Amino acid sequence: MIVVSIANQKGGEGKTTTSLNLAWGLARRGKKTLLIDIDPQANSTGIFLNPEGLDKSMHNIFQSKAKVREVMVQTHVENLNIAPSRLTLAEAETVAAIVDAPYILRDALADLEKEIDFCVIDCPPSLSIFTINALVASNYVIIPLQAEKFSVDGILGLQQTITSIKKRINPGLEIMGALVTQLKPQTLLTKTIIPVLTKYFRIFDTSISDGVAVGESHLARKSVFEYNKSSRQAQEYEGFIEEFLNELKK
């Protein structure tokens, strides 16, 4: 099982969109895929389920140390399961005082190792215990961000957290790269910021352009592929997934 965290402590950078469409795209390619929603806002979960109607969610993982298999739900998409979130997950941040707090998610995933090909983790917009758990459990990190100054300003904290976790807890953790989202290619700001980003991370060759298809797909509770497969953003996410899979072969 390959575990990938989609992480950025800044909100509005495209984490949920990227998590959702990466997981959906992998499932469409016949990969047994698990999407873990570890954000109390439960935006990924809301695409498939009513978060408030759930009996079990990621809250049970952190409060009761349940196994992920106990909370995951088969979606209407073939090969795609989701481990859902709900607002009550926010209450579980108290686990920070427990000695083994960073390892809860990793331990909860252990028995799925041979059943799932890919696990995609939608992280919250913070460097909370949930994001730390995701990074400890992951093989790779993908960082969605916009080509804007405030996006760049927050990178250092995330980079330091990843470096610390790699050094102290998870030496196998690798930053696969940053995915530029909501790109406005002709602006001076974009042309100025992207060269700066390359100083911090590898940047995926594929970027996701600004457009309405992504937002409309969320309202329709669909992936961008289901909503409008001919849209520019759908084609770009397809290109990103192919690039992601090619990186794994290297």
Side-chain angles (χ1 to χ4, degrees):
M1 177 171 66
I2 295 173
V3 184
V4 185
S5 283
I6 312 301
N8 190 325
Q9 75 270 34
K10 186 176 182 295
E13 299 295 287
K15 288 185 298 299
T16 293
T17 301
T18 299
S19 301
L20 172 67
N21 288 295
L22 174 59
W24 212 304
L26 292 169
R28 288 172 65 239
R29 287 164 170 77
K31 308 295 184 183
K32 297 292 183 183
T33 306
L34 171 62
L35 173 61
I36 295 182
D37 188 354
I38 206 171
D39 184 349
Q41 296 179 63
N43 290 326
S44 286
T45 299
I47 298 294
F48 301 99
L49 306 163
N50 174 12
E52 297 312 309
L54 296 170
D55 292 326
K56 291 186 177 181
S57 67
M58 289 303 295
H59 177 267
N60 299 85
I61 305 298
F62 288 92
Q63 286 290 82
S64 310
K65 293 194 176 179
K67 298 296 184 183
V68 171
R69 120 177 10 262
E70 298 174 48
V71 307
M72 71 183 194
V73 179
Q74 173 66 48
T75 73
H76 67 277
V77 181
E78 187 178 3
N79 297 316
L80 180 58
N81 288 277
I82 185 168
S85 180
R86 57 179 301 185
L87 191 59
T88 54
L89 178 61
E91 301 167 6
E93 283 203 72
T94 55
V95 299
I98 301 173
V99 171
D100 62 351
Y103 305 95
I104 292 173
L105 180 57
R106 189 188 69 179
D107 294 347
L109 277 169
D111 65 339
L112 289 172
E113 178 66 37
K114 295 182 180 179
E115 296 179 33
I116 301 293
D117 297 316
F118 288 95
C119 174
V120 179
I121 306 176
D122 183 9
C123 295
S126 65
L127 295 179
S128 66
I129 189 64
F130 304 128
T131 299
I132 290 170
N133 262 262
L135 296 174
V136 169
S138 292
N139 305 105
Y140 299 99
V141 188
I142 292 173
I143 304 165
L145 46 75
Q146 297 184 54
E148 295 184 349
K149 180 183 183 302
F150 293 125
S151 298
V152 176
D153 290 345
I155 285 177
L156 189 56
L158 178 61
Q159 187 180 48
Q160 289 172 342
T161 299
I162 293 170
T163 300
S164 179
I165 288 173
K166 181 178 175 67
K167 180 179 179 180
R168 299 175 183 277
I169 304 176
N170 182 7
L173 181 64
E174 298 291 343
I175 299 173
M176 184 175 281
L179 174 68
V180 178
T181 64
Q182 303 173 56
L183 181 68
K184 302 174 180 67
Q186 301 306 317
T187 66
L188 178 61
L189 181 61
T190 295
K191 293 175 182 178
T192 304
I193 293 293
I194 287 183
V196 174
L197 293 174
T198 60
K199 297 178 181 179
Y200 295 93
F201 309 115
R202 171 190 174 268
I203 306 295
F204 281 95
D205 293 334
T206 309
S207 57
I208 311 302
S209 59
D210 192 34
V212 299
V214 166
E216 291 176 349
S217 69
H218 292 169
L219 289 173
R221 299 179 67 183
K222 295 179 178 181
S223 73
V224 71
F225 311 119
E226 275 190 318
Y227 179 72
N228 185 355
K229 66 180 181 181
S230 63
S231 68
R232 183 173 181 176
Q233 289 76 26
Q235 294 171 19
E236 288 164 346
Y237 267 113
E238 287 283 16
F240 160 66
I241 293 167
E242 286 301 314
E243 193 175 346
F244 166 78
L245 291 171
N246 288 335
E247 280 298 310
L248 294 178
K249 296 175 184 177
K250 292 182 179 179

